[in-house]
Amino acid sequence: MALNAAYRDGWYWSHDGLRLHYRDWPGATDRPALLCIPGLTRNAADFEALAARLAGRWRLVAVDLRGRGESAWPKDSLTYVSLTYLLDLGRLIESAGLQRFVVIGNSVGGLLAMQLATGHRAAMAGVVLNDIGPALEAEGMARLRANVGRAASWPTWVHAARDLQSRAAQIHPDWGLADWLAHAHRLCRLSGSGRIIFDYDPRIAEPFRLPGRDAGIDLWTAFDKLAGLPVLSLRGALSDVLTAASQAEMARRLADMQVAEVPRVGHAPTLAEPAAATALDILLARVADHAMRG
């Protein structure tokens, strides 16, 4: 299936009046849908390759969180916090008719996946935590905080790709120009002035940078609520956000959790890497088996 696998644009309204967007790729109706939640500065386009491989067999619903992609920007930047995202996701689940679903969470999307278990555990059929866990590493968080919301624009897509490569080559050391161009097209958009810019509201950085923002964060309780579900923890071998020690502690607490490492990738894998695709297929086979047994 080509990367431009056909999807339907879905829209819904948040509790505070924002028109929010998701992409909906059709798939089998006798198994759970895949609810795909991107990372902090990313959008639904991050799941194009995944949809190209799985759509038809699985329904994929990939969300643009508020302030990203086609979703509206709020007036109040302090709504860029987990509680509001979870309220938005609850509206999405209802609007898209997701009665049973597997949550695939990239980075911050994985944090939201864990927290969704508080209100939607009964509807969850599985969880994929992509390079994220209950423990957030200080080094990785500092790097993300330094990069998010920075002003940037470029005259061409090649300029954008080259700049992104210069800033993140350690995350994908094996990528060539074509990979960085594809990455730029997922992360950026063409502005009205003809410049290439990031496809998100730079104000998403404001709550992320508040003093003490990381203090008191403890997601282990939310993580423990995933017990009994098929769960996959993916880790980029070069990650500075999820350490091998943290992933091992996750596996200790959830004894039947599937664990996989993606070689020569940092934070976070794209899910298109062979190791990631194989691990995800194993997880989805477990989910499909559970669905068949009813």
Side-chain angles (χ1 to χ4, degrees), residues 213-256:
R213 176 71 176 85
D214 299 333
I217 291 180
D218 180 4
L219 289 168
W220 287 107
T221 299
F223 175 77
D224 289 341
K225 291 181 180 178
L226 304 182
L229 288 174
V231 178
L232 166 63
S233 169
L234 279 174
R235 176 179 177 270
L238 306 179
S239 177
D240 59 357
V241 172
L242 177 64
T243 65
S246 292
Q247 190 181 51
E249 174 61 14
M250 292 163 68
R252 187 191 70 79
R253 294 173 78 125
L254 289 188
D256 61 347

Side-chain angles (χ1 to χ4, degrees), residues 4-287:
N4 61 351
Y7 61 85
R8 177 183 68 86
D9 287 305
W11 303 91
Y12 64 105
W13 293 94
S14 72
H15 69 286
D16 54 346
L18 293 183
R19 190 171 186 246
L20 303 178
H21 174 261
Y22 62 93
R23 295 186 184 186
D24 193 342
W25 286 270
T29 58
D30 60 347
R31 54 177 54 173
L34 309 183
L35 174 57
C36 303
I37 310 175
L40 182 65
T41 63
R42 313 295 274 272
N43 57 66
D46 266 5
F47 297 97
E48 288 175 342
L50 187 67
R53 198 168 67 81
L54 298 179
R57 290 180 290 147
W58 297 86
R59 180 189 178 193
L60 289 89
V61 172
V63 62
D64 284 334
L65 295 173
R66 59 175 52 210
R68 286 83 160 175
E70 300 299 316
S71 286
W73 298 9
K75 293 180 179 179
D76 183 0
S77 67
L78 294 184
T79 65
Y80 289 130
V81 292
S82 292
L83 177 59
T84 311
Y85 295 142
L86 292 168
L87 290 173
D88 292 345
L89 289 169
R91 291 287 185 99
L92 167 64
I93 290 166
E94 180 180 3
S95 176
L98 301 181
Q99 298 181 355
R100 290 282 287 169
F101 53 89
V102 176
V103 188
I104 301 178
N106 292 348
S107 187
V108 166
L111 299 180
L112 296 174
M114 287 184 275
Q115 294 171 84
L116 273 173
T118 299
H120 299 275
R121 174 64 175 75
M124 294 169 68
V127 176
V128 177
L129 302 175
N130 185 13
D131 207 62
I132 199 71
L136 306 176
E137 297 305 312
E139 179 183 352
M141 296 304 291
R143 177 181 59 80
L144 293 173
R145 187 178 292 107
N147 288 327
V148 66
R150 65 181 177 85
S153 71
W154 306 272
T156 72
W157 287 104
V158 171
H159 284 87
R162 289 297 191 196
D163 187 30
L164 293 172
Q165 180 181 20
S166 71
R167 296 171 182 273
Q170 76 280 7
I171 297 175
H172 299 287
D174 298 331
W175 276 10
L177 178 58
D179 300 300
W180 288 105
L181 275 169
H183 178 65
H185 279 280
R186 290 190 297 267
L187 184 60
C188 305
R189 63 180 172 87
L190 185 65
S191 72
S193 64
R195 302 279 294 185
I196 311 301
I197 60 173
F198 287 119
D199 196 10
Y200 66 85
D201 179 0
R203 297 179 307 146
I204 66 173
E206 292 176 9
F208 194 60
R209 290 174 174 160
L210 288 176
R213 176 71 176 85
D214 299 333
I217 291 180
D218 180 4
L219 289 168
W220 287 107
T221 299
F223 175 77
D224 289 341
K225 291 181 180 178
L226 304 182
L229 288 174
V231 178
L232 166 63
S233 169
L234 279 174
R235 176 179 177 270
L238 306 179
S239 177
D240 59 357
V241 172
L242 177 64
T243 65
S246 292
Q247 190 181 51
E249 174 61 14
M250 292 163 68
R252 187 191 70 79
R253 294 173 78 125
L254 289 188
D256 61 347
M257 184 181 78
Q258 180 187 344
V259 174
E261 186 173 88
V262 182
R264 293 189 59 77
V265 174
H267 181 77
T270 66
L271 304 179
E273 302 89 353
T278 297
L280 186 56
D281 285 346
I282 293 170
L283 184 281
L284 292 179
R286 292 174 61 195
V287 171

